[in-house]
Amino acid sequence: MITPPSSTPFSYVLGLADDALVSAQRMGWWISRAPQLEEDLALANIGLDQLGQARNLLTYAGELEGAGRSEDDLAYLRDDRDFRNVWLVERPQTDFGVAMARLLVFSAWQAELYAALALGEDPTLAAIAGKAVKEVAYHLDHARRWVVRLGDGTEESHARMQVALEAEWPYVEELFGPVDGAVVDPVALRDAVLTTVESVLAEATLVVPQVAPARGGGRRGLHTEDLGYLLAEMQHLHRSHPGATW
Amino acid sequence: MTSIVGGGGAWKIAADIPDPELPVVTIADLGILRDVTEDDQGRVHVRITPTYSGCPAMETIRTDLIETLTAAGYRHVDVEFVLAPAWTTDWMSEEAKAKLRAYGVAPPGAGPVSVPLAVRCPQCGSLDTRESSRFGSTACKSLWVCRACREPFDHFKAI
């Protein structure tokens, strides 16, 4: 079967790949640190799903670029200025409430994005997204349950969940920023994503934060300092031992 | 040794390969094996699809396919990963579900469903069970506990 050449830009697919990859790396931090063993498994599995999505997207990005870069080349041999992920996913999340607030926003966004890509005109993205959308439904459900449990829980869990939400909220808007050659217009996802998130917050008796958006710039390669540390850890083995295999 | 090359037997050989994580079922039982084509030169092209995007068993399955088919006399074995149509637990055969149940893993119902349905305990058959974690030992399973026999068990999630 001959597939016609895609007009989808490398940079667009790379952005979506980097979102999933960096989020997966942050999820992995929770292994052995989550509040309970079941949560270790859950966050590891969610991270693994995201890593799988990232691998598929990076492989496709490499094909679009046409410079012979593999998924590993793209994941391990780029510096922070060459990453195109949003700021939402790159900052440390050492508070469980923050992790769940972020996962709620991120999975609600990925759910809408992948659902739209699955019906879109790029057949490769449609195949990747058609698979991912089913996985993300579980991620969103997991985040929703925790946000409701903590938000509508004790006085302390409610207060901490609200603080976590305030911490993440400045990074929501960047998800909807314009991207050159976007297959799915990011702005078009905004209403549906916010409707999902805000309905969960209402159920959790939490207040939608009123905070100014962060400057952002991840899609142009501008990042917080935190991404550099994340990449140092993620890329160290591969860069120190090129070609190493298990 | 009799060569079966060219006899159309590659599907049968590939279909008998056990899943690395759940060896009680084969990759054909699970619906992971999508397509096998062979020519009279002993070349085989196998298409497999992952259960989840990040399923770590795919590389093992690829290696198993190449080793098994090569040992059976095929000279060139090529394994392709395909994503569309997306894998679903609906592709799992009834035979596979029965094997999983006997192995102690509650098989998936018709899916996917967002409303959790009762899952029957594979140990004692009780429907008085509860989900203890939506995510289990692998991406494709969730963790359950039976209130009747008190045993924990894995459930293959509908997707």
Side-chain angles (χ1 to χ4, degrees), chain A residues 36 38-39 41-43 45-46 48-49 51-53 55-56 123-124 126-128 130-132 134-135 138-139 141-142 145, chain B residues 49-56 59 83-84 86-88 112-113 116 131-139 143 157-159:
Chain A
Q36 56 193 38
E38 288 79 2
E39 202 54 30
L41 292 175
L43 299 184
N45 272 315
I46 290 170
L48 186 61
D49 285 344
L51 183 63
Q53 295 158 17
R55 291 185 60 185
N56 290 332
T124 307
I128 295 169
K131 185 147 199 66
K134 302 202 284 182
E135 297 158 4
Y138 276 101
H139 307 173
D141 185 59
H142 191 71
R145 287 166 181 237
Chain B
T49 195
T51 53
Y52 284 71
S53 300
C55 180
E59 284 302 328
L83 294 176
W87 182 83
T88 164
V113 284
E131 186 182 65
S132 57
S133 177
R134 181 58 64 92
F135 297 87
S137 54
T138 63
L143 208 55
K157 288 187 282 193
I159 190 169

Side-chain angles (χ1 to χ4, degrees), chain B residues 34-93:
Chain B
R34 301 313 303 160
D35 185 42
V36 180
T37 52
E38 58 184 298
D39 65 14
D40 54 12
Q41 303 295 308
R43 285 188 290 256
V44 189
H45 185 77
V46 184
R47 285 156 38 107
I48 55 177
T49 195
T51 53
Y52 284 71
S53 300
C55 180
M58 292 306 280
E59 284 302 328
T60 308
I61 295 173
R62 184 211 295 266
T63 308
D64 289 349
L65 278 164
I66 291 170
E67 285 179 357
T68 307
L69 286 163
T70 303
Y74 290 94
R75 286 191 8 253
H76 182 80
V77 182
D78 181 35
V79 180
E80 182 189 0
F81 293 169
V82 291
L83 294 176
W87 182 83
T88 164
T89 36
D90 291 345
W91 290 349
M92 204 180 283
S93 64

